[in-house]
Amino acid sequence: MKQFFAFQWHITDDCDQRCKHCYIFAEDTCKRPDSMSWEQMQAVVDNCEDFCEMYDRRPYFYITGGDPILHPHFWPLLELLAIKKIPFTIMGNPFHLTDEVCRRMKLLGCEKYQLSIDGLERTHDWFRKPGSYRTTLEKIATINGAGIRSVVMTTVSGANIHEVPGIIDEVVRAGVNVYAFARYCPTSEEKDTGMTPREYRHLLEECDAKFKAYEAAGYDTYFNRKDHLWTLYQYETGEFRLPENAKPGMIYGGCNCGNCHMTILPNGDVFACRRVQNSKVGSVFEDRLADLWVAEMERYRQFDRFKKCAKCELLSWCRGCPAVASGARGDFYDADPQCWKECNDITGEKL
């Protein structure tokens, strides 16, 4: 079986919300939403298939926006993917989900539907829009009922870090299949995530205990320890050990940027990572993705350039989140702002 290659595909900027941490509108609140034409969408599928044929992989699409269901060719796209037997996940809003919509998505091959909860009710509705919190929790049953796996993601910042344990309780109670959180990536206007390294480590410790308690009690929710700083945490607790047969210089885990993922935006821009604001590497309408992979993407695979991680024994498995480092400090290879591990540089000074 060939390995999958993930394409995060934003087919439209159109959305029912204007979230305060949204990449699309954080930089330019007057931006006109972009959206692909049907001809462009077909060309994107062809380009991605060509990429996978070149590198002996299988395509996997994370279809998002904006809210992808608002695109006028959303259903024709899903029908095309069904014909080609290409699996996909939808990352969208809850507002247009009905039993019939979810059944139709399942029939066309949708494996997962990802929603966001970014705080308890008051905080979440401040981030997104009034009523969003309750609607999101209600639609989890609709997704599950159609046989699609429900996923909830939280974007963690100083504004909601203390509410994450409560969010976990809420999503488990609602029957979510998968829960994870990732950190807020600062935009050009905001450089601070609002969390110290010790505060973030404490969050991981608190969530780890809560995850294990729910797992021991037999709940079905899978807790995806998505943030790569989980590797550091589990290394300290002894749950992760460096493999004895690991080869020097090999990359075994950590950030996927430059390794098995790329992002395509509605205007055709190709990004190494959507969370890295300055990571454009080309255009899906003008460039062959297979060529971008060996040319432009190489600058995100220079692992010896990591200012702190290159001094750490976990380089091949962790590297924190370069997107957060890039947003906060303007350098993809700078130290992760929430990494609490101390590493010494060649002068013996702490990094």
Side-chain angles (χ1 to χ4, degrees):
M1 182 71 71
K2 296 178 182 178
Q3 288 186 317
F4 283 111
F5 187 93
F7 299 94
Q8 182 174 322
W9 186 6
H10 299 247
I11 61 175
T12 182
D13 286 337
D14 199 8
C15 190
D16 297 300
Q17 306 190 79
R18 289 295 182 270
C19 304
K20 290 177 172 59
H21 49 11
C22 176
Y23 299 110
I24 299 171
F25 299 101
E27 304 292 324
D28 180 7
T29 56
C30 298
K31 182 183 183 297
R32 184 184 183 87
D34 292 312
S35 193
M36 284 192 180
S37 69
W38 176 233
E39 292 73 23
Q40 289 173 331
M41 295 166 80
Q42 293 175 85
V44 169
V45 174
D46 289 342
N47 205 341
C48 293
E49 285 188 303
D50 171 71
F51 175 97
C52 290
E53 183 177 351
M54 179 72 178
Y55 296 110
D56 197 32
R57 304 291 284 273
R58 297 175 64 202
Y60 193 102
F61 287 113
Y62 290 85
I63 300 172
T64 185
D67 189 355
I69 203 168
L70 297 177
H71 193 291
H73 299 294
F74 173 76
W75 293 110
L77 174 61
L78 267 56
E79 290 166 1
L80 176 63
L81 298 182
I83 291 170
K84 291 178 174 289
K85 294 183 170 55
I86 298 175
F88 60 90
T89 289
I90 302 293
M91 302 158 67
N93 291 330
F95 309 114
H96 305 282
L97 298 180
T98 64
D99 290 338
E100 176 58 31
V101 164
C102 289
R103 281 195 296 266
R104 189 177 177 187
M105 287 193 296
K106 174 64 176 179
L107 183 65
L108 293 172
C110 181
E111 296 187 339
K112 293 176 286 186
Y113 195 101
Q114 180 175 307
L115 298 163
S116 295
I117 293 182
D118 292 320
L120 297 176
E121 186 168 7
R122 181 176 179 180
T123 302
H124 175 90
D125 286 357
W126 173 79
F127 268 122
R128 294 182 176 269
K129 76 174 188 179
S132 174
Y133 180 82
R134 291 188 178 275
T135 302
T136 299
L137 289 174
E138 289 169 0
K139 294 301 180 179
I140 290 166
T142 306
I143 297 167
N144 292 348
I148 299 172
R149 286 180 64 77
S150 57
V151 181
V152 167
M153 172 69 72
T154 297
T155 299
V156 182
S157 68
N160 65 1
I161 186 171
H162 301 297
E163 298 184 19
V164 174
I167 297 172
I168 295 169
D169 294 332
E170 289 290 322
V171 299
V172 170
R173 190 177 299 117
V176 166
N177 295 134
V178 182
Y179 176 74
F181 57 80
R183 283 170 287 151
Y184 166 64
C185 291
T187 65
S188 63
E189 304 224 353
E190 174 57 65
K191 296 299 184 187
D192 187 5
T193 61
M195 301 178 289
T196 68
R198 287 295 164 185
E199 286 174 332
Y200 191 66
R201 190 194 184 284
H202 177 73
L203 174 67
L204 298 188
E205 184 176 23
E206 189 173 4
C207 290
D208 189 44
K210 189 171 281 287
F211 292 166
K212 289 173 179 173
Y214 276 122
E215 290 163 353
Y219 285 85
D220 293 331
T221 301
Y222 171 72
F223 301 105
N224 181 4
R225 291 165 172 81
K226 180 182 176 67
D227 192 321
H228 304 301
L229 288 180
W230 275 109
T231 302
L232 170 57
Y233 174 81
Q234 292 180 326
Y235 180 61
E236 292 181 343
T237 63
E239 292 181 70
F240 173 76
R241 293 182 174 86
L242 300 182
E244 294 181 0
N245 60 349
K247 297 179 181 179
M250 285 285 290
I251 298 299
Y252 293 94
C255 175
N256 287 327
C257 186
N259 293 311
C260 56
H261 167 94
M262 63 174 62
T263 298
I264 301 167
L265 301 189
N267 64 358
D269 286 350
V270 179
F271 275 53
C273 174
R274 185 65 184 100
R275 288 161 59 84
V276 181
Q277 294 297 294
N278 59 352
S279 67
K280 180 181 175 180
V281 295
S283 169
V284 72
F285 303 143
E286 300 171 6
D287 301 302
R288 187 185 183 202
L289 294 178
D291 294 336
L292 294 178
W293 184 251
V294 295
E296 299 299 324
M297 291 287 284
E298 182 61 31
R299 66 178 182 264
Y300 298 98
R301 297 192 284 262
Q302 299 170 22
F303 303 108
D304 60 345
R305 290 183 56 192
F306 280 101
K307 295 180 180 178
K308 180 178 179 179
C309 299
K311 316 294 191 304
C312 178
E313 66 270 30
L314 295 174
L315 172 67
S316 295
W317 294 272
C318 178
R319 302 184 300 288
C321 182
V324 178
S326 178
R329 294 168 174 167
D331 184 354
F332 180 85
Y333 289 105
D334 212 326
D336 185 312
Q338 273 74 55
C339 178
W340 59 87
K341 192 174 190 296
E342 292 186 347
C343 299
N344 294 331
D345 66 12
I346 58 175
T347 67
E349 293 185 0
K350 299 294 186 184
L351 293 173

